[in-house]
Amino acid sequence: MKLRILLLLLPLFAVGCATVDPVTGRRVNNLYSIDDDIQMGREVLGEVVKTMREGKVPINRDGKKVAKLQEMVNRIAAVSHLPDLPYEIYLFETNIVNAFAAPGGQMGVFSGLYHPEMGLVQDDDELAAVIAHEIAHVTCRHTTESLTRELPVRLALIGGALYAEARGNDDLALALGAGFLVYEGLILPRYSRRDETEADAVGLMYMAKAGYDPRAAVRLWERAAARSKDPKLFALFSSHPTDRQRAEALRKLLPQAMEEYERAKAVRAP
Ligand SMILES: [Zn+2]
């Protein structure tokens, strides 16, 4: 782990940390600036990329797919609350069924997400639902809000992560595990239930405004619920709200999202 990442975890100013959330307009505690988000996201992605390379995981092998993902990201980010962040997406060729966002706009998709049999996403609208959800985590600044809340716990975890790294193993599974320790356990905390629910709701409106059919989000979570026993879906779908609850919550927001979608479609029509 790079020292700079550790330093990022220690905000210099612990006072006057109430800021206004760019999405909800609520006053929230966040010790980090947007620039901190961006810098931290780049550091984290650098670590993830390094870990993947060490594990011989191909990155961005399919230029066409990456370009398509980036286009989708740009289109959704453009209608988000923070359109000017340096949004960038990486495609990791592994059978992991997942996607993630680091703070500040750096994102990753694992190709397992759209594997024909093992994957979950079956069309572009569904892929857009996943990406819009991740972008919502970024614009809601869930990572640094949560780091702010959990700073004391985090400091204790740093020791554990350094120990894991110091053992230095070259086994792929362990290397990936370490990568996820960095990603999920240490640098990027698991999102809370409230954060997930917020990202679902905010992401639904983003995808609709960008002209992707929001019904795809409901479909996606319903499919996830039907397959909830599948261990491959663990990472993306093990978060606190159950998949069925997520689908139901999204369904309630669907009428509003459909209005946005129809409006966006009318604008985009040739
Ligand atoms: Zn999420």
Side-chain angles (χ1 to χ4, degrees):
M1 169 132 354
K2 290 197 189 84
L3 186 62
R4 269 190 301 166
I5 292 188
L6 299 186
L7 292 177
L8 273 169
L9 290 166
L10 301 169
L12 292 174
F13 304 101
V15 287
C17 57
T19 52
V20 176
D21 187 285
V23 174
T24 61
R26 275 199 317 257
R27 287 195 82 73
V28 289
N29 280 332
N30 196 325
L31 292 165
Y32 301 84
S33 68
I34 298 265
D35 285 341
D36 290 338
D37 277 24
I38 294 170
Q39 199 190 337
M40 191 186 299
R42 288 189 168 138
E43 296 272 343
V44 168
L45 244 295
E47 287 295 319
V48 173
V49 164
K50 201 178 112 207
T51 306
M52 292 293 172
R53 285 223 170 93
E54 283 164 5
K56 306 264 184 291
V57 170
I59 302 167
N60 291 349
R61 186 171 55 187
D62 186 336
K64 245 183 166 170
K65 261 190 190 166
V66 178
K68 192 178 144 185
L69 280 170
Q70 186 66 49
E71 205 184 298
M72 199 175 255
V73 167
N74 295 348
R75 188 165 142 189
I76 298 169
V79 299
S80 79
H81 293 85
L82 295 174
D84 298 326
L85 290 176
Y87 292 96
E88 202 177 354
I89 196 154
Y90 293 79
L91 177 60
F92 301 102
E93 299 283 347
T94 79
N95 58 9
I96 297 169
V97 183
N98 209 347
F100 66 91
Q106 304 282 303
M107 281 175 272
V109 163
F110 299 98
S111 57
L113 187 65
Y114 37 149
H115 186 278
E117 291 111 50
M118 296 180 320
L120 191 76
V121 157
Q122 291 179 356
D123 60 37
D124 283 357
D125 288 316
E126 293 180 8
L127 185 58
V130 173
I131 288 176
H133 173 94
E134 299 303 336
I135 289 179
H137 277 308
V138 172
T139 60
C140 295
R141 306 190 63 212
H142 287 150
T143 299
T144 41
E145 278 180 18
S146 142
L147 282 173
T148 302
R149 281 194 302 269
E150 297 172 14
L151 198 58
V153 181
R154 219 126 294 281
L155 291 176
L157 281 170
I158 288 171
L162 285 175
Y163 171 71
E165 186 138 311
R167 284 188 313 188
N169 52 71
D170 45 22
D171 177 86
L172 171 64
L174 287 174
L176 287 175
F180 279 95
L181 179 65
V182 169
Y183 165 56
E184 288 191 337
L186 175 63
I187 300 299
L188 302 191
R190 283 178 190 283
Y191 300 116
S192 69
R193 178 188 184 130
R194 193 177 128 174
D195 289 349
E196 286 304 339
T197 306
E198 186 172 67
D200 280 348
V202 171
L204 186 73
M205 295 308 158
Y206 285 174
M207 75 179 291
K209 280 183 189 165
Y212 294 103
D213 189 338
R215 286 169 291 195
V218 179
R219 198 161 67 223
L220 188 73
W221 292 113
E222 277 172 351
R223 190 176 309 131
R227 287 178 52 186
S228 60
K229 296 267 169 349
D230 185 342
K232 287 229 166 50
L233 292 179
F234 174 77
L236 181 57
F237 305 107
S238 63
S239 44
H240 313 278
T242 68
D243 301 332
R244 206 165 299 286
Q245 282 169 339
R246 301 180 85 147
E248 276 163 23
L250 285 169
R251 193 181 285 288
K252 283 197 192 113
L253 297 171
L254 208 47
Q256 196 192 337
M258 285 304 288
E259 272 177 39
E260 293 286 4
Y261 173 52
E262 295 302 337
R263 207 171 303 150
K265 256 200 323 192
V267 172
R268 296 184 81 86

